[in-house]
Structures are given as structure tokens and as C-alpha cells.
Amino acid sequence: MSTGRKKLARAAAIFAAVALTLTACSSGGDKASAPASSAGGKLPTGQTLSVWTFGATGLEDSMNKWAADTGNKVEFKKSEFDPHHEQLLTALASGAVPDVAVVETSYSSLFKQSAQYFTDLRDFGADSIKSDYLDWRWAQGVADDGRVFGLPTDVGGLAMAYRTDLFTAAGLPTDAPSVEKLWSSWEDFLKVGEEYKAKTGKSFLDSTGVLFQTLYNQSDPKLYSADGKSLVYDTNPQIKHAFEIAARGSSISAKLGAFSPEWNTAMAKGDYAVQLAPAWMLNYIQGQAPETSGKWSVANLPVGGGNWGGSQLTIPKASKNAALAFDMISKVLSPANQLAVFKATGNFPSTPSLYTDPALTDYKSKFFSDAPVGIIYSESAKKLKPVYEGPKERQMMREFGNALGRIDTGDETAAQAWDSALAAVKLEIG
Amino acid sequence: MPSDTSTVTLNGVVGSPRRRRRRASLTPYLYIAPFFLVFGVFGLFPLLYTAFISLWDWNPIGDKTFIGFQNYTELFADPRFWNAAGNTLSIWAISTIPQLIAAIVMAAVLNNALLRAKTAFRMAVLVPNITSVVAIGVIFTQLFGRDYGMINWLLQSVGLDRIDWQAGRLSSQIAVSMMVMWRWTGYNALIYLAAMQSIPSSLYEAAAIDGANKVRQFLSVTIPQLRPTIIFTAIISTIGGLQVFAEPLLFGGQGGTTGGASRQFQTLALFLYEQGFRNFKFGYGSAIAWALFVIIAIATVVNLKLSSRIASE
């Protein structure tokens, strides 16, 4: 044999060996998941679960703890909100999926249409824990054919956080009951904001968009009719009202884009006095503006409740470790653990049994001047009703947000912006 | 046996004359095969597949419906498309024309015999180009920030008004163009520098004897000699400039995909991304991709025609 041939033969041998190993790996993976799919079987250890989030669930610590307890590992990939969902969708199409992926409620209708790309969690006995959760939050993870593709994380019951030091400086009361007496409608709220701005020269609110989001989340129905069969974004008086209030609010807002670096800076510097805050926002404030500890308090909104946000934890179908992943998500989302997460981060539980539990209702947050956040957000959560959100919710909201942006920059008046928003939405969903 | 044939070819064992002839005719194709394979997989196939998808209403994890040319008829009636096309052209003009002029001047300075630490400067001008575009985007976005940006702080400290860079059409496009210019001026300067160094010094000596000063020499000797290189950089910058994407996306922050509230700095590539990947209209996104492809092809041909006319004058 010539050396050339020898080399060729060796290369072929190596190639064959590699190919064999690869097939061995993949079939081994299949085998590992096969027995586990029958619930109650012994779960594997030494596995690494990949988890994709957009960073708002506050569950990372619990997942790491679960991994340490069970002898497994968790790897997180955190992306920004929209890119996260976009990557998940393309990953589902290609099959290169994580073991666990977060799907936020404004995207849940979109993914619901393709629920067959997710593991049906009923296979692992999800039905038995259904009663732990708020019905409508549970339903956001159920497809039309009954397939359960996600377990609910927190609920984003609405309230507002305000800077007590800035309120004092402006001659406003600082205790929550007196603050709540300042207004009984959103119009009153705007009036107080206008007075604040006239007195201090500073902004009252952070963002016109956040004001709109809040009122939008108080609407019932929202952009779709209650049965989800038709669009009402252009005829729903509540959406129009939300838009008008937000448009008026532009003059007292710092006109910042929510979640932008400038927004973070302004929050830490105290450039505005009121932050409309779903429960998870408290977590965000503590993370972004740690030095403002003790300068905030929390009060109820001028009117009504409402939900903003919350997610489902899903297991894509192509995950090799579905049984293990289910074990993890069902444990970190158990009522007991959601209580622990609430205390650590402020993310509010989706398990109603806690809403009467003194461990939650008596909870006061030091960061927010000992505000009774436990009772405020559980009262807010109790008032919540399921509101249909459709598959195109997110892209329609983007156009409303852009229209408010055009009011902020002075490019359009409120009336012009409403018309242009409807035109843009129509073009988008057309 | 097929394996026998391959052994013969690979090991160079002399076979029959017929086989040898076949081998000889196959070899050149093998040499060029890697390019065509790579181009086929990463260039041609995506191009054709995109054309295919553009004829569908394509949900990657849902229904796929064949709709013929409907995506294209919708696209040409879509004001957002023409807006994005206009923005792309104006950002291209704002960024490319000053950029190439600045690059020639920079190259002339680097080519100056009196310049010290030549290598250090030549390396330095390339640094922006090897910097991550995301880092550039994030930093420039902060520099151009409305409330806490350094540029507004400077404007204010010399008594000028602050500018909401993102809000205005022109101001936002200038900010985006600055990122492009910052990244590519040094790169083009190095290309011009290489071309300048190949200009024979006898031309300059003859010009000097004729009494031409440095500026005159630059205009009458350097620039004409650089013509082929200018054509090359103009074409490359055009192709790159029409695909500007990361800079406006990052500049817009949360509203980046629409290029601001009025779509005032949304480029075609960004519009493609918004429709294809944010709103999950893959078919429509593919149609935009093909429209962009045709626009770039036309721009390149026009560019080539114009530049060669200038060159032949």
C-alpha cells in the first residue's frame, strides 16, 4: 500500500468512527427521553437544560437551585423581548430548540396557533396541577384543541410606584391612602401631573407609551373582540380613550422609550415622579435603580385593575429532555416557590391560593418604604378578568406606540396620530 | 468499480490514456469546485429559495399558501416600502459621498513623506473597521442621546439648542450616517493609500518642474491616477450602503425595527427585518429582499456606467 492509500484509509476509518459516534449520541439521546416520557419514571441526572428567556421571569435563581438539588445543570440564554420571541419562532421551524422557552402573554396567541411545535404538558400530568393557577392565566397556555403548551408564570397586576421625596418637594402627600385620594379618574391623574409639572418644571411620568399600555391593559375587550373572531381596535371606545389619555399625558411625560438606556438613567436619577407599575416592574426598578431604595412607595391606580405581562414556560417538542424540563418548570412554578420568588423579586404569583395567605398579604417591601405590596397586588390580581389577546396584538401595539411617539416629537397632533395609527395598523394587518 | 477510479485520480497512478484524458479534463473543475460549492450553498440556493418563498404567504410554523405575485403587487403599493427606499438612498448619499472624499484626503495625509510613525497611523485608521458594529451602534446611540448624550451636552455648553437626534428625519439620518462613515472611512483611505503609492514619482517630478504646487499636483496627478480605485470603492460602498441595517436598528433602540416613530430612518434592510422577522411575514420579507437585490443591481450598473464615463474622460 502506498502512503497515500494508507492516509486515505486512515481518514476513512476516522470518518466512519466519527459518524458512528454521532449516530450513537443521537440515538442515545432518544433513548434517554423515551422512558422518561412516562410520568413518574426516574428522571435523569447530569443533564444540561437550555432555557431561553427575555429576562423578566425572575425564575433564574429557582431554576439554578432546582438544578443543584437534582444534579443537573441549567444554561440560560437571555435576549431582548422581541428578538427572544423571534428566535424562538425560527428555532421551532428549524428544530434547534431550547429545552424550556418563555412565551410572554402578548405573544401567546401567536404561538398558540402552532401548539403542535410544543410538548403537550398533559403527557406529564399537567392537568393535575391546573387548579393551582388562575383559570385565565392557565388558559393562555392552552391551544384550541386542548393541548397544554405552557405553564403560567407570574401575573402583572397593575398599580403605580411613586417617588415620595419628589412628591414631598412638590407639596403632594406621600402616604398611599392620601395619594389615592388625589384622583378618582385618569383625567384627575393628568391634572395632578400637570400641576406637578407646572410647580417643579420636571416630568411627572416616564413615558407616554407606558401610560397607554396601562390603560390598554385595563380595557376589556382590547384590540380583538371577546371571542377573538373580529378586530375592534378602531371601534373600541376604551382603546380610543386610552389613546386620548396617553396623548394628553405626553405633555407631562419625560417622553422616554420604556426599557431604553435613557429610561433606566432617568429612573435612577429621579427625573420623573411616577412609574406605572405592573408587579414585575418593582423587580425592574430595584435592579435598575438600587440607590433609590426607600424613596419609593406603591399605591393603587386611579381606576380599576388590569394585567400587564406574565409568561408561560413552554417545552418545545424537539427538546430531548422534556420530562426533566417539566419537572423543573412545575417545581419552580409551584405555589410555594412562586411565593419565594415574589419575596425575592416582586413578581406576583399566578396561584390564587396565595392571595389569602398571610405570608403574601402581610408582605411589605423595604425598598418601597414598607408599602404593603402583598395586599396591593393581590387585590389587583383578584379583580383581573380574562381578556382576549390575538396573534397580531404585538405588531398592532407597535403601531399605536409609534403614533404616540409622533405626538411626543410634535410631528402630529393627538387627532392626527389616532388617524395615522389606525391607518398604519390596517396596513400592517391588511 | 467507482472506488478504483477515485483512487486513480487521487493517487496519480497512471491508467489508460483515455482515463488520463478524463482526469486532465476533470482537474480544473476540481480546483474551482470549492468556490462554486460554497457559493451554491450560501449564495445561490438562498437566493433562489428566497425567490420561491416570496411567492407564498409563508408562516414558518404554520400555514403556507401559494399566492403568486401578490406580495410584489402589495409591496409596490406599500408606502412604507417607498419610504424605506428613499431613506436608504439618502442615508447612502449622506454617508458615502463625504466618506470617500474624507478617505482620499486621509490617504494623502498618510502618504505624506513628512509624516512620522506611518505604520501606527495606518493601523489606527483601520481600527474602527475591525470594531464590532454593535459596539459602534451602542456607543454612537448614547453619544446622540436626547437627554444624556454627549453631543447635546457639547451643543448646550457652547450655547446652542439641544437636538432630539432621533426625532427628525434629517438629524436621525445624519446620526446613522456618522456611524457608517466612522466605520468605513479608514478602510477606504487604506485602499486609496495603496493606489497612491503605485503612482510613479516621475509624474510628480514632472509636475513639479512644470511649476505645479502640492494642491495642483494632488488634483491633476493623484486624483486622475486614482480613478480606477475610486470606481472600485464607489461600487463597494454603494453595495454596502444600500444594505445598512445594524446602525439604524441599534440607533432606534426599542423602536429600532420601524426606524423611529415616523419610520424616518428605516432602511430597506430594516423594513425587510421588521416584516420578515418581527411580524413573521416571511413571504413578504422575501419579496422585499428581492426588491432590494434588484435595486442594488441597478445601482451598481448605473454606478459602473457613470464611473467609467468619468474615467474615460
Side-chain angles (χ1 to χ4, degrees):
Chain A
M1 231 192 219
S2 71
T3 31
R5 270 199 186 187
K6 253 187 214 158
K7 267 188 195 153
L8 200 69
R10 199 182 299 155
I14 291 170
F15 176 78
V18 170
L20 271 174
T21 327
L22 285 176
T23 24
C25 281
S26 59
S27 61
D30 287 339
K31 249 175 244 157
S33 70
S37 60
S38 55
K42 204 168 178 318
L43 290 165
T45 57
Q47 304 287 313
T48 301
L49 293 184
S50 54
V51 178
W52 288 6
T53 78
F54 56 90
T57 56
L59 294 168
E60 282 85 350
D61 289 343
S62 304
M63 288 181 176
N64 279 328
K65 188 175 171 302
W66 168 88
D69 292 348
T70 58
N72 292 291
K73 264 174 69 182
V74 183
E75 264 178 22
F76 296 100
K77 193 182 93 158
K78 186 179 154 186
S79 312
E80 280 185 44
F81 185 78
D82 288 312
H84 161 76
H85 291 93
E86 159 194 321
Q87 284 161 21
L88 175 60
L89 186 131
T90 43
L92 291 175
S94 74
V97 293
D99 295 303
V100 174
V102 178
V103 173
E104 208 256 358
T105 51
S106 58
Y107 274 104
S108 69
S109 289
L110 179 77
F111 284 99
K112 197 179 269 190
Q113 295 173 328
S114 307
Q116 72 275 16
Y117 284 86
F118 295 96
T119 304
D120 187 348
L121 303 179
R122 290 176 302 183
D123 296 350
F124 300 106
D127 280 335
S128 66
I129 53 171
K130 180 173 188 272
S131 55
D132 286 350
Y133 299 90
L134 288 170
D135 286 340
W136 61 275
R137 280 292 281 125
W138 182 265
Q140 282 169 328
V142 181
D144 293 341
D145 61 355
R147 179 188 287 265
V148 177
F149 71 95
L151 298 186
T153 64
D154 56 317
V155 290
L158 288 163
M160 53 176 270
Y162 58 96
R163 287 284 294 259
T164 50
D165 53 339
L166 298 179
F167 267 43
T168 308
L172 293 169
T174 54
D175 61 304
S178 313
V179 167
E180 283 159 12
K181 275 201 199 96
L182 288 172
W183 41 63
S184 57
S185 68
W186 282 108
E187 283 79 2
D188 291 351
F189 176 81
L190 290 179
K191 223 172 272 162
V192 173
E194 279 152 11
E195 282 161 21
Y196 175 90
K197 174 131 196 206
K199 208 169 207 170
T200 61
K202 286 171 96 177
S203 301
F204 189 59
L205 285 170
D206 57 335
S207 148
T208 316
V210 169
L211 181 57
F212 179 67
Q213 273 275 354
T214 303
L215 273 100
Y216 152 85
N217 280 311
Q218 294 193 317
S219 307
D220 179 13
K222 290 179 172 174
L223 306 179
Y224 288 78
S225 64
D227 59 7
K229 286 198 178 111
S230 58
L231 286 159
V232 297
Y233 67 91
D234 49 349
T235 52
N236 183 353
Q238 296 175 72
I239 295 296
K240 178 123 201 244
H241 176 247
F243 193 86
E244 283 166 355
I245 292 289
R248 263 186 70 189
S250 173
S251 64
I252 56 163
S253 115
K255 302 180 173 64
L256 296 161
F259 307 103
S260 66
E262 290 80 15
W263 187 65
N264 295 339
T265 309
M267 186 187 284
K269 283 180 64 176
D271 284 354
Y272 60 87
V274 171
Q275 176 68 61
L276 298 172
W280 46 263
M281 189 71 88
L282 302 188
N283 183 19
Y284 194 93
I285 295 172
Q286 294 177 56
Q288 283 301 331
E291 63 276 22
T292 61
S293 177
K295 293 181 180 168
W296 296 88
S297 190
V298 181
N300 285 303
L301 292 182
V303 270
N307 178 68
W308 178 0
S311 302
Q312 316 289 129
L313 291 187
T314 67
I315 304 173
K317 188 126 205 174
S319 162
K320 291 270 190 285
N321 269 317
L324 196 60
F326 182 79
D327 185 63
M328 177 173 81
I329 66 173
S330 58
K331 286 203 172 118
V332 300
L333 295 176
S334 70
N337 197 60
Q338 287 210 34
L339 178 63
V341 170
F342 169 72
K343 286 184 175 173
T345 69
N347 281 1
F348 199 76
S350 53
T351 51
S353 62
L354 292 171
Y355 299 170
T356 49
D357 185 339
L360 184 130
T361 52
D362 290 350
Y363 180 76
K364 293 185 166 73
S365 167
K366 269 221 174 65
F367 190 97
F368 293 91
S369 320
D370 284 326
V373 290
I375 195 81
I376 291 174
Y377 285 102
S378 49
E379 287 306 315
S380 176
K382 275 184 211 165
K383 276 185 261 177
L384 291 180
K385 279 173 292 179
V387 184
Y388 181 83
E389 289 185 23
K392 290 185 174 163
E393 207 78 26
R394 184 76 187 151
Q395 64 208 62
M396 292 159 85
M397 282 301 282
R398 195 173 300 131
E399 293 301 343
F400 280 111
N402 276 343
L404 290 166
R406 295 193 288 273
I407 297 176
D408 279 348
T409 58
D411 286 347
E412 291 180 1
T413 64
Q416 284 169 339
W418 172 253
D419 290 339
S420 65
L422 294 191
V425 170
K426 199 161 184 207
L427 189 62
E428 184 53 59
I429 58 176
Chain B
M1 263 170 75
S3 64
D4 194 23
T5 323
S6 68
T7 321
V8 169
T9 322
L10 285 167
N11 290 337
V13 177
V14 180
S16 71
R18 191 145 149 245
R19 269 193 185 169
R20 220 185 305 159
R21 213 175 306 128
R22 198 158 83 200
R23 194 188 75 206
S25 62
L26 203 65
T27 313
Y29 292 106
L30 278 176
Y31 281 126
I32 60 167
F35 166 76
F36 282 99
L37 278 177
V38 171
F39 175 73
V41 171
F42 295 105
L44 196 62
F45 170 73
L47 204 64
L48 296 176
Y49 195 54
T50 307
F52 173 73
I53 293 179
S54 74
L55 303 177
W56 293 68
D57 182 6
W58 186 284
N59 177 353
I61 56 168
D63 296 336
K64 299 169 177 68
T65 326
F66 184 79
I67 53 169
F69 286 94
Q70 198 185 317
N71 281 327
Y72 290 94
T73 52
E74 262 172 43
L75 185 64
F76 296 131
D78 190 337
R80 299 172 301 181
F81 170 72
W82 298 108
N83 168 62
N87 288 343
T88 308
L89 286 177
S90 63
I91 289 176
W92 168 78
I94 298 171
S95 63
T96 306
I97 296 166
Q99 180 196 145
L100 294 184
I101 294 170
I104 291 182
V105 173
M106 200 187 270
V109 172
L110 287 174
N111 200 27
N112 195 315
L114 298 170
L115 186 72
R116 302 262 168 179
K118 275 200 175 84
T119 317
F121 277 112
R122 285 173 193 174
M123 280 164 66
V125 297
L126 204 62
V127 168
N129 194 250
I130 56 169
T131 309
S132 142
V133 62
V134 175
I136 295 173
V138 168
I139 289 169
F140 270 75
T141 304
Q142 292 193 352
L143 289 178
F144 282 104
R146 183 192 64 188
D147 295 340
Y148 312 110
M150 200 171 172
I151 292 174
N152 270 346
W153 174 76
L154 283 173
L155 286 178
Q156 207 175 24
S157 62
V158 297
L160 295 167
D161 282 339
R162 305 174 76 91
I163 296 173
D164 189 349
W165 289 96
Q166 256 197 42
R169 188 168 288 269
L170 184 64
S171 63
S172 60
Q173 295 193 0
I174 287 174
V176 169
S177 299
M178 290 297 287
M179 298 185 213
V180 179
M181 283 169 68
W182 193 77
R183 187 143 173 260
W184 291 102
T185 307
Y187 171 85
N188 285 314
L190 279 197
I191 294 177
Y192 289 139
L193 177 62
M196 280 178 190
Q197 288 182 337
S198 66
I199 300 173
S201 57
S202 57
L203 289 178
Y204 291 104
E205 283 158 16
I209 290 167
D210 287 346
N213 63 16
K214 284 282 171 197
V215 175
R216 187 64 205 267
Q217 283 179 26
F218 179 74
L219 293 176
S220 301
V221 179
T222 313
I223 298 284
Q225 290 288 316
L226 282 182
R227 263 177 190 156
T229 317
I230 293 173
I231 295 169
F232 169 76
T233 52
I235 292 172
I236 294 294
S237 308
T238 304
I239 294 173
L242 292 177
Q243 296 183 70
V244 167
F245 170 70
E247 289 90 347
L249 177 69
L250 291 161
F251 183 62
Q254 286 281 318
T257 39
T258 55
S262 308
R263 298 180 183 267
Q264 65 269 33
F265 55 95
Q266 187 180 47
T267 59
L268 275 173
L270 207 48
F271 183 49
L272 188 172
Y273 176 68
E274 183 210 359
Q275 292 300 317
F277 292 93
R278 268 300 143 77
N279 299 344
F280 307 118
K281 295 180 188 164
F282 276 54
Y284 201 51
S286 300
I288 300 169
W290 262 87
L292 182 56
F293 176 74
V294 170
I295 290 173
I296 292 174
I298 292 172
T300 309
V301 170
V302 169
N303 217 319
L304 201 62
K305 283 263 153 65
L306 274 178
S307 318
S308 56
R309 191 134 132 236
I310 297 166
S312 62
E313 263 167 14

